[in-house]
């Protein structure tokens, strides 16, 4: 199947305890460029995210957004700073000795001292959290690929239609070329007769001039190669996969053949078809830029 480089996928996992949202959107790019945005506490998981996405995206500039909301209230824990409490007690003992006053510090008072007791975020279960993120991201990636495939099929249909139109133009050029040569030979004979009047015309001379002209305007090789390139494009489109770069190269070769046909042509009708070929090939190249 053919996949477009433009796509979007979104998946949300929500429970009474948490919500994880994963979104993927991508546009055209020559290579694979992943831009991942997620909470800093999940940075440890970035390499796994990249590895997972490479199984779904081969080319394109993709922005990945991952968000996490925790609805539980038991994610905080109380931390007791033993060393700091001991320092406080040492200081109180020194004050008692220095000033000769009673050391009446109780636990309740010591607990109120700055930083002796503090609330901290309970550590996440990294393995479990990694599984949840992977699940959300994988489902988003599947939807992302589905959107790319749908658009890719539309691109494929459009490109095949353009190839059929081009084939008609090439067929006209192939049929017209012998007629151009015949008309040239007839004009050449008429011109010589006009110049020489009653003098006998050397058929061999006319044949030689016609042969030189035929060689000059002959586009048989170009039309054969052009048909070959169009057949190759059809095969790649039907085979599917990541064929964008290969199709772009083939389109460049088709444009080269169309340019040669136009440069050789001395006939207005063939020139018009050659220009139409170039225009259609340019449209094909623009569409191919959207294919992965």
């Amino acid at each position: 199947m053919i996949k477009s480089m433009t796509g979007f996928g979104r998946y949300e996992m929500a429970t009474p305890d948490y919500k994880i949202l994963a979104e993927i959107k991508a546009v055209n790019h020559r290579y694979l460029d992943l831009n991942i945005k997620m909470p800093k506490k999940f940075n440890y998981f970035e390499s796994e995210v990249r590895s997972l996405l490479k199984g779904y995206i081969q080319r394109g500039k993709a922005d990945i957004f991952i968000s996490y909301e925790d609805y539980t209230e038991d994610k905080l824990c109380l931390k007791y700073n033993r060393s700091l409490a001991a320092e406080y007690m040492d200081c109180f003992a020194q004050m008692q000795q220095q000033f000769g006053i009673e050391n009446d510090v109780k636990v309740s008072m010591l607990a109120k001292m700055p930083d002796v007791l503090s609330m901290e975020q309970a550590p996440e279960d990294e393995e479990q959290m990694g599984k949840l993120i992977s699940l959300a991201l994988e489902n988003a990636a599947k939807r992302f690929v589905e959107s790319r495939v749908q658009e890719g099929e539309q691109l494929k249909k459009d490109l095949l239609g353009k190839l059929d139109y081009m084939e008609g133009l090439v067929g006209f050029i192939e049929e017209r070329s012998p007629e151009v040569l015949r008309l040239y030979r007839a004009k050449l004979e008429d011109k010589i007769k006009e110049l020489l009047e009653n003098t006998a015309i050397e058929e061999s001379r006319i044949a030689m001039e016609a042969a030189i002209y035929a060689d000059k305007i002959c586009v048989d090789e170009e039309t054969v190669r052009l048909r070959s390139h169009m057949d190759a494009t059809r095969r790649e489109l039907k085979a599917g996969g990541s064929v964008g770069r290969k199709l772009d190269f083939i389109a460049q070769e088709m444009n080269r053949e169309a340019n040669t046909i136009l440069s050789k042509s001395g006939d207005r009708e063939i020139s018009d078809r050659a220009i139409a070929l170039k225009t259609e090939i340019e449209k094909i190249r623009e569409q191919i830029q959207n294919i992965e």
Side-chain angles (χ1 to χ4, degrees):
M1 66 186 72
I2 294 295
K3 289 185 284 187
S4 167
M5 278 195 285
T6 303
F8 178 78
R10 183 179 188 275
Y11 188 80
E12 182 179 301
M13 294 173 55
T15 71
D17 294 334
Y18 63 83
K19 182 176 77 173
I20 298 177
L21 175 65
E23 287 186 354
I24 306 172
K25 60 180 180 179
V27 294
N28 303 352
H29 197 271
R30 191 173 181 182
Y31 305 106
L32 176 61
D33 181 12
L34 300 178
N35 180 30
I36 302 171
K37 294 181 180 179
M38 59 183 178
K40 289 184 178 180
K41 63 180 179 179
F42 297 148
N43 284 346
Y44 69 92
F45 195 60
E46 183 172 340
S47 61
E48 285 80 357
V49 169
R50 290 184 178 277
S51 297
L52 186 152
L53 291 172
K54 286 178 181 179
Y56 292 92
I57 312 171
Q58 282 70 53
R59 203 156 68 102
K61 179 178 176 58
D63 292 315
I64 298 93
F65 302 92
I66 300 172
S67 64
Y68 175 75
E69 295 181 40
D70 191 342
Y71 301 141
T72 60
E73 298 179 357
D74 57 355
K75 290 295 183 178
L76 296 177
C77 62
L78 190 63
K79 183 179 179 181
Y80 167 44
N81 193 328
R82 296 173 182 274
S83 59
L84 184 60
E87 288 185 30
Y88 276 120
M89 292 304 294
D90 287 343
C91 289
F92 294 151
Q94 292 176 30
M95 293 167 66
Q96 177 188 23
Q97 185 177 7
Q98 181 180 357
F99 298 107
I101 56 178
E102 181 183 359
N103 187 349
D104 60 351
V105 177
K106 297 182 180 180
V107 173
S108 58
M109 183 182 297
L110 182 62
K112 294 179 181 179
M113 293 296 104
D115 299 325
V116 172
L117 296 178
S118 60
M119 300 292 289
E120 292 188 355
Q121 189 78 20
E124 297 280 358
D125 183 342
E126 293 187 357
E127 183 178 355
Q128 178 62 18
M129 189 55 60
K131 290 179 180 179
L132 293 174
I133 294 174
S134 293
L135 181 60
L137 193 59
E138 194 158 1
N139 280 286
K142 289 177 180 177
R143 294 181 178 181
F144 168 76
V145 170
E146 287 175 5
S147 72
R148 280 183 141 194
V149 169
Q150 290 175 1
E151 188 171 340
E153 287 302 308
Q154 293 300 317
L155 290 173
K156 176 181 175 181
K157 183 179 179 180
D158 181 67
L159 289 171
L160 290 174
K162 285 178 167 53
L163 290 171
D164 290 340
Y165 174 62
M166 286 175 57
E167 195 161 24
L169 295 174
V170 172
F172 177 88
I173 293 171
E174 291 172 333
E175 291 179 5
R176 177 68 179 170
S177 294
E179 179 65 14
V180 171
L181 181 59
R182 187 191 67 77
L183 292 172
Y184 173 78
R185 181 174 180 132
K187 287 181 181 180
L188 182 62
E189 288 177 350
D190 292 342
K191 190 67 175 177
I192 291 175
K193 285 178 182 179
E194 180 184 341
L195 293 172
L196 300 180
E197 294 183 355
N198 296 326
T199 306
I201 303 173
E202 292 184 18
E203 183 64 29
S204 61
R205 177 71 180 185
I206 294 176
M208 183 177 68
E209 290 293 336
I212 293 172
Y213 183 73
D215 184 64
K216 180 182 178 181
I217 67 167
C218 181
V219 293
D220 290 352
E221 292 183 8
E222 286 76 13
T223 56
V224 168
R225 285 196 291 267
L226 197 48
R227 284 187 179 278
S228 176
H229 294 324
M230 288 190 292
D231 289 341
T233 302
R234 285 192 182 94
R235 286 196 300 272
E236 294 299 330
L237 287 172
K238 291 176 181 177
S242 298
V243 297
R245 291 180 185 175
K246 190 171 184 178
L247 289 176
D248 186 49
F249 173 76
I250 296 174
Q252 292 179 42
E253 295 300 308
M254 288 195 292
N255 190 57
R256 185 176 290 112
E257 303 303 337
N259 279 332
T260 304
I261 292 172
L262 184 59
S263 66
K264 285 185 175 183
S265 174
D267 178 70
R268 184 182 62 81
E269 294 193 39
I270 290 181
S271 295
D272 288 345
R273 269 60 178 192
I275 292 172
L277 274 173
K278 284 175 58 62
T279 302
E280 209 64 18
I281 291 169
E282 186 59 32
K283 291 178 182 178
I284 286 176
R285 289 191 67 182
E286 289 177 0
Q287 290 287 53
I288 286 173
Q289 302 308 312
N290 296 318
I291 295 177
E292 186 178 59

